[in-house]
């Protein structure tokens, strides 16, 4: 049960664990994770010490983008269970003291959504097509926009006509973008919010929050090759503040309306509903606009995820982030891994060894947990899972099929729970998971690590217990200092020392509370000290 201060909004200092539904736990033995499997494994998250769980989409979907192509926002896909299973998960999580955040995908629907099917059937100029971005037939696409998954962002609709119109999709062609200038779109999503709020969800993670509104007239992009597709974290990296398809001022009107909806569900800070934005913005200042008092409660801080292993880089992100959110009266939201990027153990191993990558990943996590605000963990990082090497014939990511780049499957491989061979207790029986698990993961299973006090799982449990005991109620102000390759963060009487160099250093004077490695002050380690 959470021990956070109930006089504050529950989300402000919460640690949230992201569950990629397909890959967490399989309840029925078909090789795909589902809601009953998650419900059965919730005690793992309680033992870990998190405050909330974020579930990736489980709605009805043809699964072309693994649920981010939604066909019905008010129902559960049979692959994952049914509405009763969703309600049972919510009830059990709340019994255990866990909040539940669900994914919402408002930028686009599935091409099998009832609205898009009606639009295709109704033909050009129809009211049904006005809910999406349709444009008249021409030899070339209406503009030069590129899909995030590679190729043109425009596809001709297959309606059987001799002059098929184009429709816009910033992701896969099976994910047509909605036109948020149409009033029915906004009304529909307010109703969807209420549908799930009435069933007890505690918050929403909003997919592509910066993408709903496009520049008037859909003008050409002056550098259409940005961002380049691939696995170099282009899913979250933004270098520009003036792209016509992203971060338009009109998105903020959408979220002000949603803020009012959430606020109508109770005034008690401990029970307040919330939203967190997946907004790919180029800097802390643009990110902070999403967390103004009448919009989102949180926005992912992707600058932290993208920072290299460097004391100076970490210091700059901390300083810039806290300054930006402070100006709008918000708190920071820290994240190191998710279902769209290379796992941070593997990212930090670039140019080093896998062992150093793991040491740095643990140190970065402990550093993140020392900072004020909320922290988001991604399933499997508590086991020290590396990015898996998925063979081409086993890959399923739509970006792989559109670009030939590796795609995101490597961070989505199902978790190892127990046993010495796949499926590692992922589900009942011997059915192999939807993505193959590496043979080397036997040593990383939950069962194996529970018996090892030096394991990454044991470290995460210690780190989260230390945060709850020593950091959650500290002041939000952080003093930041860099001495060569060593970063020092001070909050009240807590000092976090991060050694990004090659030489051991002495830890600060005081009581050592927790260390990411075996020795305080060692290279590639972080140490908490009560000064």
């Amino acid at each position: 049960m959470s021990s956070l201060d109930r006089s504050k909004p529950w989300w402000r200092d919460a640690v949230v664990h992201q569950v990629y539904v397909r890959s967490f736990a399989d309840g029925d033995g078909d090789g795909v994770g589902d809601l009953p499997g998650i419900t059965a494994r919730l005690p793992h998250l309680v033992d870990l010490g998190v405050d909330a769980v974020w579930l990736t989409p489980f709605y009805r979907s043809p699964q072309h983008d693994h649920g981010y192509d939604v066909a019905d926002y008010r129902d559960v896909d049979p692959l994952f269970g049914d509405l009763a299973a969703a309600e049972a998960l919510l009830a059990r999580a709340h019994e255990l003291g866990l909040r539940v955040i669900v994914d919402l995908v408002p930028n686009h629907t599935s091409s099998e959504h009832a609205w898009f099917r009606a639009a295709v059937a109704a033909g050009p100029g129809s009211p049904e097509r006005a809910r999406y971005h349709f444009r008249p037939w021409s030899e070339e696409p209406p503009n030069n926009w590129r899909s995030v998954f590679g190729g043109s962002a425009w596809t001709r609709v297959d309606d059987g006509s001799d002059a098929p119109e184009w429709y816009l999709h910033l992701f896969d062609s099976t994910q047509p973008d909605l036109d948020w200038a149409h009033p029915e779109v906004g009304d529909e999503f307010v109703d969807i919010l209420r549908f799930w709020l009435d069933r007890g969800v505690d918050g929403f993670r909003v997919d592509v929050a910066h993408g709903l509104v496009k520049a008037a007239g859909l003008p050409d992009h002056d550098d259409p090759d940005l961002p380049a597709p691939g696995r170099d974290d282009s899913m979250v990296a933004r270098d520009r503040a003036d792209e016509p398809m992203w971060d338009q001022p009109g998105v903020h009107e959408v979220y002000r309306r949603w803020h009012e909806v959430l606020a109508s569900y109770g005034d008690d800070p401990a029970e307040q509903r919330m939203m967190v934005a997946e907004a790919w913005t180029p800097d802390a200042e643009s990110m902070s606009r999403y967390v103004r008092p009448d919009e989102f409660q949180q926005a992912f801080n992707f600058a932290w995820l993208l920072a290299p292993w460097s004391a100076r880089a970490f210091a700059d992100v901390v300083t810039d982030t806290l300054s930006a959110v402070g100006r709008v009266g918000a708190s920071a939201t820290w994240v190191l891994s998710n279902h769209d990027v290379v796992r941070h153990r593997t990212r930090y191993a670039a140019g080093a060894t896998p062992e150093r990558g793991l040491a740095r990943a643990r140190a970065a996590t402990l550093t993140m947990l020392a900072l004020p605000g909320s922290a988001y963990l991604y399933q499997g990082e508590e086991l020290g899972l590396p990015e898996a090497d998925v063979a081409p014939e086993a890959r399923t990511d739509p970006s792989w099929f559109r670009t030939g780049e590796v795609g995101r499957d490597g961070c989505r491989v199902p978790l190892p729970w127990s046993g010495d061979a796949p499926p590692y207790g992922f589900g009942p029986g011997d059915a192999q998971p939807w993505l193959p698990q590496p043979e080397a993961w036997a040593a990383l299973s939950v069962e194996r690590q529970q018996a090892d006090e030096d394991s990454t799982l044991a470290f995460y449990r210690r780190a989260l217990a230390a945060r709850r005991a020593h950091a959650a109620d500290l002041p939000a102000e952080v003093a930041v200092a860099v001495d060569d390759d060593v970063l020092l963060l001070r909050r009240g009487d807590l000092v976090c020392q991060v050694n990004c160099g090659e030489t051991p250093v002495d830890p600060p004077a005081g009581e050592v509370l927790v260390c990411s490695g075996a020795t305080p002050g060692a290279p590639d380690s972080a140490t908490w000290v009560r000064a």
Side-chain angles (χ1 to χ4, degrees):
M1 180 71 71
S2 172
S3 63
L4 297 178
D5 185 351
R6 290 183 63 83
S7 68
K8 298 188 299 182
W10 66 267
W11 44 265
R12 185 170 287 271
D13 296 299
V15 176
V16 182
H17 190 283
Q18 180 190 354
V19 163
Y20 192 69
V21 173
R22 298 176 65 93
S23 298
F24 189 74
D26 173 16
D28 60 10
D30 67 354
V32 179
D34 50 37
L35 299 185
I38 296 168
T39 302
R41 294 290 190 178
L42 288 176
H44 168 73
L45 303 183
V46 175
D47 292 343
L48 189 61
V50 302
D51 304 292
V53 55
W54 151 32
L55 304 175
T56 55
F58 49 79
Y59 314 112
R60 280 194 177 267
S61 166
Q63 302 294 319
H64 294 299
D65 191 21
H66 300 155
Y68 283 93
D69 50 325
V70 180
D72 187 345
Y73 293 85
R74 297 178 183 84
D75 201 4
V76 174
D77 195 284
L79 186 66
F80 304 129
D82 53 23
L83 275 174
E87 291 167 351
L89 191 160
L90 282 163
R92 181 58 177 151
H94 290 158
E95 287 176 4
L96 294 171
L98 294 170
R99 312 283 183 167
V100 180
I101 299 167
V102 299
D103 228 309
L104 189 65
V105 188
N107 178 71
H108 48 264
T109 70
S110 166
S111 56
E112 296 187 22
H113 190 281
W115 275 10
F116 194 77
R117 293 166 71 93
V120 172
S126 63
E128 290 83 357
R129 289 202 176 185
R131 297 167 176 153
Y132 295 89
H133 294 278
F134 280 89
R135 292 297 182 270
W137 182 91
S138 60
E139 290 290 346
E140 298 296 327
N143 65 27
N144 67 352
W145 294 5
R146 307 289 292 174
S147 164
V148 173
F149 289 168
S152 175
W154 295 91
T155 292
R156 291 189 180 97
V157 66
D158 184 13
D159 61 1
S161 70
D162 293 332
E165 290 193 315
W166 297 89
Y167 66 91
L168 176 68
H169 54 89
L170 292 179
F171 294 88
D172 191 62
S173 59
T174 62
Q175 296 167 289
D177 278 41
L178 289 160
D179 187 347
W180 274 83
H182 196 299
E184 288 185 21
V185 175
D187 292 346
E188 170 73 356
F189 275 87
V190 164
D191 190 74
I192 292 166
L193 288 173
R194 292 191 182 279
F195 180 89
W196 290 105
L197 289 167
D198 290 343
R199 280 157 180 77
V201 305
D202 300 288
F204 299 91
R205 177 266 189 185
V206 180
D207 185 62
V208 196
H210 63 310
L212 277 57
V213 175
K214 280 67 173 175
L218 308 185
D220 275 351
H221 194 319
D222 61 10
D223 192 357
D225 293 329
L226 291 175
R231 290 295 285 127
D232 57 354
D233 297 327
S234 63
M235 292 296 294
V236 295
R238 307 303 312 168
D239 298 319
R240 296 270 303 269
D242 57 352
E243 297 178 279
M245 68 288 289
W246 306 124
D247 201 22
Q248 297 298 306
V251 298
H252 299 286
E253 292 302 320
V254 174
Y255 302 130
R256 291 186 183 102
R257 185 182 183 190
W258 290 11
H259 185 100
E260 292 179 356
V261 173
L262 268 64
S264 71
Y265 278 77
D267 298 325
D268 181 355
E271 302 302 327
Q272 192 177 83
R273 311 299 175 92
M274 55 78 75
M275 303 183 294
V276 56
E278 184 210 27
W280 313 339
T281 61
D283 52 44
E285 186 65 32
S286 53
M287 178 270 292
S288 72
R289 288 196 288 269
Y290 288 82
V291 289
R292 289 176 289 196
D294 58 349
E295 297 188 42
F296 282 90
Q297 285 73 27
Q298 298 181 333
F300 290 129
N301 181 16
F302 290 126
W304 181 249
L305 181 154
L306 294 167
W309 178 250
S310 158
R312 173 50 60 191
F314 288 160
D316 289 345
V317 172
V318 171
T319 300
D320 292 348
T321 299
L322 295 181
S323 176
V325 299
R327 286 193 290 273
V328 295
S331 58
T333 303
W334 311 96
V335 60
L336 283 165
S337 282
N338 63 38
H339 66 289
D340 282 333
V341 302
V342 174
R343 287 186 175 276
H344 65 281
R345 170 181 176 171
T346 299
R347 294 201 313 272
Y348 290 141
T353 64
E355 292 74 22
R356 294 196 71 177
L358 177 58
R360 291 171 177 178
R362 288 167 56 149
T365 296
L366 189 59
T367 307
M368 175 176 73
L369 294 176
L371 294 167
S374 184
Y376 280 70
L377 311 178
Y378 178 51
Q379 66 175 45
E381 67 174 84
E382 77 274 18
L383 304 178
L385 296 186
E387 187 84 354
D389 184 11
V390 179
E393 63 272 17
R395 295 174 191 162
T396 64
D397 186 352
S399 68
W400 153 252
F401 296 111
R402 289 180 65 91
T403 68
E405 301 286 346
V406 171
R408 300 163 291 172
D409 292 312
C411 64
R412 300 175 174 186
V413 173
L415 296 185
W417 289 96
S418 61
D420 296 322
Y424 300 121
F426 178 64
D430 297 324
Q432 293 302 301
W434 66 283
L435 284 174
Q437 299 162 304
E439 295 289 341
W441 280 16
L444 300 176
S445 72
V446 174
E447 178 184 59
R448 187 78 63 89
Q449 294 198 42
Q450 287 199 41
D452 181 1
E453 283 302 310
D454 295 325
S455 69
T456 298
L457 177 60
F459 159 70
Y460 265 75
R461 289 174 174 171
R462 288 194 299 271
L464 289 169
R467 174 185 168 91
R468 196 176 298 279
H470 302 289
D473 295 321
L474 290 175
E477 294 75 22
V478 180
V480 181
V482 176
D483 183 6
D484 293 328
D485 292 319
V486 178
L487 170 66
L488 287 174
L489 305 171
R490 180 182 290 271
R491 287 181 65 198
D493 64 355
L494 177 69
V495 178
C496 177
Q497 178 197 67
V498 191
N499 185 357
C500 297
E502 302 289 335
T503 304
V505 295
D506 292 330
E511 177 191 3
V512 174
L513 301 175
V514 63
C515 182
S516 65
T519 306
D524 300 327
S525 74
T527 305
W528 286 11
V529 172
R530 176 183 287 147

